């Protein structure tokens, strides 16, 4: 196989473990902390998880390994969207498992949770693993979005586990997948199967974090990749001085990615969905906010700029959210077919006009036709508008263009406005993991096996103190139920891990808020450049501005 020089060098990179895991598995002992309580709804959650609720927080320490000698057969799955570092979670898990007992076996179930249900797997060997160390992607075994949540599915998993003599399952995923990991752990314990279940926190969106989990893996590399690209665009904008660039970045609902990129690159504008929702901002208000920056910069002779738009923004705009709700109703069930059978856009437009309330139609009518049509593209499996398909970068640039035309007519704006559009998402999800993500992920995987070896189940692999050098990181585990609260899902109250949105009183947002007025008018761009893998630690091992500010 042809490989690039960097790929070869990365195969050989030795990820850094937390200090207490560095002395070999024979020298890792457990320190149990206090019993835990869920963050809310304690009674309800305790009742739903009688076998796994309330367990103790644990940390590992240097000391004699007192775990029981036992052969382990562990199954691992990758779940949900790709995030840089997934291969290192698997290799860390494999290395700890083999270092503990060379007869231990690691099976990778292919294509995400469906691999477990369909018993599609591969057995890992040194040769196989070595070709994936420190590389991006999830292609080692693939991933998928099948949800593992029903008792019928759990029974199938139980059968598959029996067939392979699995002693443990590791689920590498986001908030939903880890919620389901906790439910599976409870099921396996209730059925006395002896199968342990451990989760690992993954998602580039950064929305799986809380007082225990300081960051989900992949966020560091993905935001560094987008920030490099945004910085390059800022340089281009500042060189050519003729375009406003509207850049959408991934983040299905939370705006952590957009905020981190803004902290890294100091663009003129960055919208934060959570703030838009809190202030109940309308499309017109957001448009005016951006147009004001364009106008002020034009007054200084700067007919260029950069605006970052989070992927999930439209759902946070209350009037847009209401419009989407009405469209979902308008096309519910068989009405979609009726709509699709209409001969042309004019007929569809009339159908929409007659079907929406006056208020919703007024919002719809404000939108450029391309965006109007995107709202009627393919629905998701629940029959809803797929918000991530909406080109919000084009939506806001078009609305700003219209607003500037009005201002020009009124004689208040005299500049020139040309726009370019970009969407950065998939570009960052499979990048070579930064040293931080390579180290963090390897540690999460290594640590996950130590939790298995010491007999824990229903735990999330936890590595904390991660704003410090790796030697000071703290490895341990947290009962997943500690992160639970009850939420309404599909008309039912369900125990789930609370999704972490951007906190408007948190330090990262406060820093951004304190600076954005200046950034909106002046040119304060900063250029992070490409991720560096080799060189001084202060360049190569730095983590995110978000984490630095949160822990600062
Ligand atoms: P996860 O929450 O599964 O980690 O995925 C996050 C994400 O990358 C979002 O940022 C994005 O909206 C979505 O996945 C895209 O999903 P898909 O890969 O199905 O297009």
């Amino acid at each position: 196989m042809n490989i690039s020089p960097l790929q070869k060098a990365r195969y050989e990179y030795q990820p850094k473990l937390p200090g207490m895991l560095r002395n070999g598995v024979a020298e890792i002992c457990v320190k149990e902390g206090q019993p835990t309580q869920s963050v809310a709804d304690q009674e309800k959650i305790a009742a739903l998880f009688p076998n796994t609720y309330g367990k103790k927080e644990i940390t590992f320490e240097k000391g004699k390994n007192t775990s029981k000698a036992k052969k382990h057969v562990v199954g691992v799955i990758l779940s949900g969207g790709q995030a840089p570092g997934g291969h290192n979670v698997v290799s860390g898990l494999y290395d700890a498992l083999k270092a503990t007992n060379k007869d231990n076996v690691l099976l990778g179930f292919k294509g995400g949770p469906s691999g477990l249900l369909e018993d599609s797997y591969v057995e890992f060997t040194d040769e196989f693993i070595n070709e994936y160390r420190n590389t991006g992607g999830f292609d080692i075994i693939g991933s998928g979005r099948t949800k593992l949540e029903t008792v019928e599915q759990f029974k199938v998993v139980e059968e598959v586990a029996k067939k392979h003599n699995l002693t443990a399952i590791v689920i590498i995923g986001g908030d939903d997948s880890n919620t389901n990991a906790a439910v599976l752990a409870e099921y396996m314990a209730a059925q006395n199967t002896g199968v342990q279940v451990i989760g690992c926190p993954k998602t580039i969106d950064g929305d799986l974090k809380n007082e225990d989990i300081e960051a989900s893996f992949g966020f560091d590399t993905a935001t560094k990749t987008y920030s490099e690209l945004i910085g390059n665009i800022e340089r281009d904008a500042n060189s050519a001085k003729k375009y406003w660039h509207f850049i959408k970045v991934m983040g299905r609902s939370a705006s952590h990615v957009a905020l981190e990129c803004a902290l890294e690159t100091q663009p003129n504008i960055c919208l934060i969905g959570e703030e838009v929702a809190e202030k109940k901002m309308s499309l017109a208000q957001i448009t005016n906010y951006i147009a004001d920056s364009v106008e002020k910069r034009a007054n200084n002779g700067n007919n260029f700029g950069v605006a970052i738009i989070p992927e999930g923004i439209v759902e946070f705009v209350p009037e847009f959210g209401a419009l989407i709700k009405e469209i979902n109703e308008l096309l519910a069930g068989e009405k979609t077919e009726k709509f699709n059978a209409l001969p042309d856009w004019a007929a569809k437009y009339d159908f929409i006009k007659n079907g929406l309330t006056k208020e919703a139609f007024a919002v719809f009518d404000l939108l450029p036709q391309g965006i109007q049509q995107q709202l009627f593209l393919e629905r998701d499996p629940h029959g809803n508008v797929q918000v991530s398909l909406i080109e919000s970068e084009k939506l806001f640039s078009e609305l700003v263009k219209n607003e500037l035309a009005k201002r020009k007519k009124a004689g208040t704006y005299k500049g020139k406005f040309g726009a370019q559009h970009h969407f950065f998402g998939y570009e960052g999800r499979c990048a070579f993991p930064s040293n931080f993500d390579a180290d963090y992920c390897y540690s999460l995987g290594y640590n996950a096996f130590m939790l298995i070896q010491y007999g824990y189940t229903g735990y999330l692999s936890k590595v904390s103190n991660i704003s410090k050098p790796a030697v000071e990181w703290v490895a341990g585990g947290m009962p997943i139920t500690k992160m639970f609260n009850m939420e309404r899902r599909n008309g039912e109250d369900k125990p789930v891990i609370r999704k972490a949105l951007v906190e408007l009183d948190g330090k990262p947002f406060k820093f951004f808020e304190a600076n954005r007025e200046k950034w909106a008018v002046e040119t304060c761009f900063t250029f992070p450049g490409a991720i560096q893998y080799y060189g001084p630690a202060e360049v190569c091992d730095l983590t995110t501005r978000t984490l630095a500010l949160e822990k600062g």
Side-chain angles (χ1 to χ4, degrees):
M1 190 170 67
N2 274 341
I3 57 168
S4 71
L6 181 65
Q7 198 173 342
K8 183 168 179 297
R10 292 313 279 170
Y11 286 166
E12 283 150 24
Y13 175 77
Q14 183 52 54
K16 299 185 272 298
L17 282 169
M20 71 268 289
L21 300 181
R22 286 187 185 181
N23 307 290
V25 289
E27 287 291 309
I28 300 174
C29 71
V30 164
K31 185 175 154 214
E32 291 205 325
Q34 295 304 312
T36 54
Q37 295 270 5
S38 58
V39 286
D41 308 305
Q42 288 90 1
E43 271 178 30
K44 283 186 189 157
I45 292 164
L48 289 166
F49 293 86
N51 297 283
T52 50
Y53 185 82
K55 301 283 179 208
K56 291 176 180 160
E57 185 174 333
I58 72 122
T59 45
F60 290 113
E61 286 187 336
K62 182 174 184 289
K64 193 173 155 30
N65 188 328
T66 56
S67 65
K68 262 204 223 125
K70 168 180 176 184
K71 178 183 165 185
H72 278 286
V73 181
V74 177
V76 60
I77 59 166
L78 291 158
S79 180
Q82 282 69 250
H87 289 164
N88 271 30
V89 181
V90 177
S91 58
L93 177 63
Y94 178 82
D95 286 354
L97 167 145
K98 288 290 181 187
T100 303
N101 178 352
K102 65 177 179 16
D103 294 330
N104 283 345
V105 174
L106 181 62
L107 302 181
F109 287 87
K110 294 188 196 167
S114 62
L116 257 181
L117 298 171
E118 290 156 13
D119 192 18
S120 165
Y121 69 97
V122 60
E123 181 176 335
F124 289 110
T125 59
D126 288 355
E127 296 68 40
F128 187 10
I129 287 270
N130 289 346
E131 288 194 2
Y132 290 92
R133 289 181 188 273
N134 307 301
T135 58
F138 276 9
D139 44 328
I140 189 168
I141 44 174
S143 185
R145 290 198 183 276
T146 303
K147 289 193 190 310
L148 211 52
E149 55 188 350
T150 66
V151 172
E152 292 69 40
Q153 289 175 321
F154 293 164
K155 283 188 179 147
V156 176
V157 175
E158 190 183 349
E159 283 311 306
V160 171
K162 235 187 236 156
K163 179 181 158 201
H164 296 290
N165 295 318
L166 291 189
T167 52
I169 296 171
V170 175
I171 295 181
I172 303 170
D175 55 332
D176 261 357
S177 306
N178 280 299
T179 291
N180 295 336
V183 183
L184 180 63
E186 177 62 31
Y187 172 89
M188 290 294 184
Q191 305 300 313
N192 250 322
T193 60
V195 179
Q196 299 161 242
V197 182
I198 299 293
C200 284
K202 172 234 71 166
T203 176
I204 64 154
D205 289 3
D207 54 12
L208 171 49
K209 65 173 174 182
N210 45 52
E211 59 173 41
D212 291 303
I213 302 303
E214 294 174 10
S216 56
F217 79 75
F219 178 72
D220 183 86
T221 311
T223 53
K224 282 189 166 84
T225 306
Y226 307 143
S227 298
E228 179 207 348
L229 298 174
I230 295 167
N232 295 350
I233 286 175
E234 288 179 337
R235 266 259 144 90
D236 196 284
N238 201 24
S239 307
K241 302 197 189 297
K242 62 175 179 181
Y243 293 126
W244 264 83
H245 292 266
F246 287 76
I247 305 171
K248 180 169 86 168
V249 291
M250 257 188 189
R252 190 188 293 270
S253 46
S255 300
H256 298 290
V257 173
L259 178 56
E260 170 63 20
C261 292
L263 296 171
E264 290 282 354
T265 61
Q266 304 191 175
N268 306 103
I269 298 287
C270 175
L271 302 179
I272 300 296
E274 291 81 345
E275 183 184 26
V276 165
E278 170 85 13
K279 295 186 174 163
K280 299 193 170 47
M281 288 173 82
S282 65
L283 285 176
Q285 281 171 316
I286 301 171
T287 304
N288 277 319
Y289 169 64
I290 305 174
D292 287 350
S293 165
V294 175
E295 185 179 326
K296 283 183 194 151
R297 286 180 59 76
N299 291 343
N300 296 336
N302 293 323
N303 289 297
F304 66 94
V306 169
I308 300 179
I309 318 283
E311 183 185 16
I313 188 80
V314 286
E315 267 183 316
F316 285 94
V317 181
E319 57 185 347
F320 209 98
L323 168 65
I324 287 173
K325 250 195 208 150
E326 285 201 23
I327 292 176
N328 288 341
E329 284 298 315
L330 191 62
L331 295 193
E334 285 151 19
K335 287 185 258 173
T336 303
E337 265 173 50
K338 196 174 154 201
F339 177 80
N340 288 340
L342 293 169
D344 52 23
W345 178 245
K348 288 178 176 169
Y349 185 87
D350 281 344
F351 174 91
I352 296 163
K353 192 171 179 181
N354 294 329
L356 294 178
T357 59
K358 235 170 85 192
E359 295 73 26
F361 184 73
V363 177
F364 179 79
D365 217 25
L366 262 183
L367 306 175
Q369 197 187 84
I371 302 289
Q372 289 179 338
Q373 290 172 338
Q374 281 166 18
L375 288 169
F376 290 86
L377 288 177
E378 210 180 307
R379 338 293 301 156
D380 75 6
H382 308 285
N384 297 329
V385 172
Q386 293 201 57
V387 182
S388 60
L389 296 183
I390 296 170
E391 293 175 308
S392 39
E393 70 284 20
K394 292 194 181 149
L395 164 66
F396 286 108
S397 110
E398 191 72 19
L399 293 175
V400 167
K401 188 172 106 188
N402 297 343
E403 171 62 24
L404 292 171
K406 276 195 225 152
R407 294 185 187 191
K408 201 158 230 177
K409 231 174 165 185
T412 52
Y413 167 70
K414 298 189 171 56
K416 280 188 237 141
F417 180 74
Q420 295 288 343
H421 307 107
H422 316 263
F423 170 38
F424 297 147
Y426 300 99
E427 292 82 349
R429 298 202 311 181
C430 287
F432 276 105
S434 60
N435 286 352
F436 171 83
D437 268 329
D439 299 345
Y440 183 44
C441 291
Y442 187 82
S443 303
L444 286 170
Y446 201 97
N447 190 53
F449 183 72
M450 296 322 299
L451 290 168
I452 293 168
Q453 178 62 25
Y454 271 100
Y456 292 99
T457 188
Y459 275 66
L460 199 63
S461 176
K462 171 180 165 181
V463 175
S464 54
N465 209 27
I466 53 177
S467 59
K468 297 277 163 42
V471 69
E472 293 174 44
W473 292 358
V474 178
M478 182 56 56
I480 304 176
T481 49
K482 180 178 177 209
M483 299 161 197
F484 273 25
N485 67 161
M486 300 298 289
E487 285 179 22
R488 203 88 188 141
R489 297 278 168 95
N490 299 328
E492 273 180 76
D493 283 339
K494 293 246 171 169
V496 294
I497 296 177
R498 189 186 283 164
K499 208 183 242 323
L501 299 179
V502 169
E503 285 175 14
L504 300 182
D505 54 2
K507 287 183 187 157
F509 180 79
K510 284 285 169 206
F511 182 89
F512 166 69
E513 193 182 34
N515 288 285
R516 66 177 162 189
E517 231 170 273
K518 182 173 152 83
W519 299 353
V521 183
E522 295 172 26
T523 301
C524 303
F525 303 154
T526 45
F527 313 109
I531 296 176
Q532 301 295 306
Y533 300 94
Y534 301 97
E538 63 272 23
V539 176
C540 300
D541 295 350
L542 266 191
T543 180
T544 57
R545 295 275 295 132
T546 302
L547 197 58
L549 286 163
E550 280 172 350
K551 299 291 156 195

